[in-house]
Structures are given as structure tokens and as C-alpha cells.
Amino acid sequence: MKVSKAVIVAAGWGIRFLPVTKAVPKEMLPLIDKPLIHYAVEEAVASGLTDIIIVTATGKEAIGDYFGHNSGLEAFLKRKGETGLWQRVHHLSQMADISYVRQEERLGLGHAVLTAGEAVGNEPFAVILPDDIIDSRVPALKQLLVVYEQFQASVLAVEAVSPRESRKYGIINPTEVVGDTCRVSGLVEKPAPAEAPSNLGIVGRYILTPQVFAAIQATKPGKGGEIQLTDALALLLKKQPVYALRFEGTRHDTGTPLGWLAAQVAFTLKDPGLGPEMKERLRRLL
Ligand code: G1P
């Protein structure tokens, strides 16, 4: 079945970014001049998915404002002859068909995905965690969709992580490795290094079959007392195969201040307009 929907999870507290996230959703922090969640929508659209469901929570109203139509601002920009800016602002409400579901209680990533269950229905769908920004030639979701087409089964994005960092990720146990693809025979959410089944950590991109919803419903609270998507996937793979792909591209973890700052530098250096001046300023600073 063709995948047409993407669920973007934007319901977390943004604890690692307090105090700014007390008033600004972490998904609205900028990377150069666009918020992080803009890159998630762009990646979904570039991967052929135009039906976007954003899981929000209280305090996340700015996300709806950002992708909504603002006739006052658009009229103002037109009056001022700011055609370029008008186009950029107008484009935001035209990028995709975006709908919102609200996670009333923040019970974990698995629970947030389950909140989108009704909007997704009985079809395969993509999940994007917008604080993982992936810079790649082919959009990361599109790479996962190729594997999904081949196996018609759930596919997770993974990358090699340092053993010291296993506590930050869901870690998979890979089998039947063929090139960059493997079958998943087990998963553990944020294990201690000694308990990690491999060095392959899950990155925030998934293609999931709708059977994951029943698996989430059957999942008990796990790490941190939350309903974890990783635990639900461990249940799902008892019923149907799950695959993983070591995607091509560079991932930036913008969910922490240092990762976010490093992503700013990397993206600015790549920008043809800002890169040369940024390089010069960095050289002076160092
Ligand atoms: C979540 C998932 C984890 C995954 C990670 C990727 O954790 O629970 O399995 O490896 O995203 O970014 P979080 O970073 O939200 O704590």
C-alpha cells in the first residue's frame, strides 16, 4: 500500500532546552531563518508525502500560526512591495495538507504516535521527530520508503552511535544484514552500554504499518515511566518483520543546545550567501 501520510511529533516539553522552551516550542527554534519543524515538513513533501499530521500539545500554538494563512501580514507585505518575502510567507500555508491532533497528556513518544491513530487510519505512515535534522542528497524518508516498497514492512532509520551514547537512543539488534539494510530481531530503549545489542541507534525517522497502533496499546510504560515507541516496535516484531536502514546523510541532533548550535554552524557554512562570511568570523573567533 502506498504511504501518503507523515506524522510529525511535536508534543514534548523540550526539557533539554529550558528555559527558552517554557514559552517557545522547541520545534519552533530556528535553524538559520526557518524553524526546525519547517525542515521536517519539507523532508516529508520532498519524499512525496503531502498529508501531514502534527501531534501537538498545550503551549504549541505557534506551530499552527506558522503554517497557517496570515492574510494581514500577506496584505502588508504586498502593500510594501516586498514580493520575495510575501512569496516565502504565502508558501508556508501551501506546503502541504497539514492537520493537528493534540496529545492531552504527555505520556511518551509511543503514546504521541497513538494519538495520531484515528487521523492515520488503517494504512502505513511515516513518523518524523523534528529535532533530528538529516542533511542528505536523497531525503531520509524517501530512502526509507524505498526499503518499505521492497518489504512492505515497517522500516526504521538507524546510524552507528558511540557505545558511550547508547543511553540516548533506541538500539536495535540487527540480523540478515544486506548492504545498508537489515532485519531487526530486537530493540531496547536507551540501554546502558553493556546491555546494548549493537551500536545501531534509531534516528527519528520511521515508516510504520498500522498494526503498530495495536502494539502501542498493548505497551506498558517503560523507560522514564513513558509509553515508548521502541517497546511497541519490540512487540510488533513478534507479529511481523521490521527492517532498519543505515541511511545516507548527516544527522544533526538539534534537541540539545550544543547539537543545535553545531547545526547552525554547519548549515550556515553550507549556505552560499552566508557561508564565506561565517567562515571568516569563525576564523577570527578561533
Ligand atoms: C526518541 C526515541 C529513541 C530514538 C530517538 C531518536 O528518544 O525514543 O528510541 O533513538 O528519539 O532521536 P528521545 O530523543 O525523544 O528521548
Side-chain angles (χ1 to χ4, degrees):
M1 201 175 176
K2 206 174 162 344
V3 181
S4 67
K5 295 179 178 170
V7 172
I8 300 180
V9 181
W13 290 111
I15 296 289
R16 284 171 286 202
F17 251 110
L18 281 169
V20 64
T21 42
K22 179 165 181 276
V24 179
K26 101 177 148 174
E27 300 76 16
M28 288 303 295
L29 295 176
L31 184 46
I32 306 190
D33 57 359
K34 294 183 290 187
L36 298 172
I37 196 164
H38 183 117
Y39 293 83
V41 172
E42 262 181 355
E43 184 184 322
V45 172
S47 305
L49 313 181
T50 49
D51 199 343
I52 312 257
I53 301 150
I54 302 184
V55 183
T56 66
T58 184
K60 302 279 185 171
E61 293 73 19
I63 297 174
D65 287 348
Y66 182 75
F67 291 112
H69 186 64
N70 185 330
S71 47
L73 176 60
E74 289 193 21
F76 173 78
L77 292 172
K78 266 194 171 160
R79 257 198 329 272
K80 291 273 174 198
E82 293 280 5
T83 319
L85 274 181
W86 174 81
Q87 268 168 349
R88 289 194 78 187
V89 167
H90 180 70
H91 170 69
L92 298 174
S93 58
Q94 311 293 312
M95 287 176 82
D97 184 355
I98 302 182
S99 59
Y100 300 87
V101 296
R102 226 172 122 91
Q103 189 188 21
E104 295 299 344
E105 271 187 288
R106 302 191 212 214
L107 299 178
L109 175 60
H111 181 264
V113 171
L114 183 60
T115 308
E118 216 167 287
V120 169
N122 192 26
E123 52 185 279
F125 63 103
V127 172
I128 304 183
L129 309 185
D131 49 12
D132 278 333
I133 297 271
I134 300 177
D135 187 14
S136 55
R137 236 173 357 92
V138 177
L141 266 191
K142 200 170 188 175
Q143 297 178 44
L144 292 189
L145 284 166
V146 172
V147 182
Y148 171 80
E149 290 295 330
Q150 189 185 346
F151 297 108
Q152 301 287 314
S154 298
V155 190
L156 324 176
V158 293
E159 72 175 7
V161 298
S162 121
R164 274 182 293 116
E165 298 203 303
S166 64
R167 281 193 181 89
K168 285 167 65 179
Y169 300 93
I171 305 283
I172 67 159
N173 194 358
T175 57
E176 301 173 24
V177 181
V178 180
D180 291 333
T181 309
C182 66
R183 196 166 159 175
V184 178
S185 66
L187 318 85
V188 191
E189 178 69 359
K190 304 194 172 113
E195 267 93 61
S198 76
N199 68 339
L200 293 178
I202 302 171
V203 166
R205 300 291 184 279
Y206 310 73
I207 306 293
L208 301 175
T209 60
Q211 286 74 27
V212 77
F213 294 122
I216 298 171
Q217 273 164 334
T219 300
K220 306 249 163 358
K223 268 269 140 67
E226 297 187 348
I227 299 179
Q228 298 291 352
L229 183 58
T230 303
D231 295 344
L233 292 171
L235 286 183
L236 184 68
L237 63 78
K238 291 185 184 158
K239 301 240 158 100
Q240 53 180 233
V242 173
Y243 292 84
L245 172 72
R246 289 178 73 153
F247 58 94
E248 171 278 320
T250 305
R251 179 188 64 119
H252 299 276
D253 175 9
T254 62
T256 65
L258 193 63
W260 178 75
L261 289 166
Q264 306 290 340
V265 175
F267 272 63
T268 310
L269 286 175
K270 265 186 37 181
D271 184 288
L274 304 172
E277 174 71 16
M278 180 66 160
K279 210 176 198 170
E280 188 45 42
R281 289 190 185 203
L282 283 176
R283 196 174 295 131
R284 266 186 263 146
L285 274 175
L286 293 170

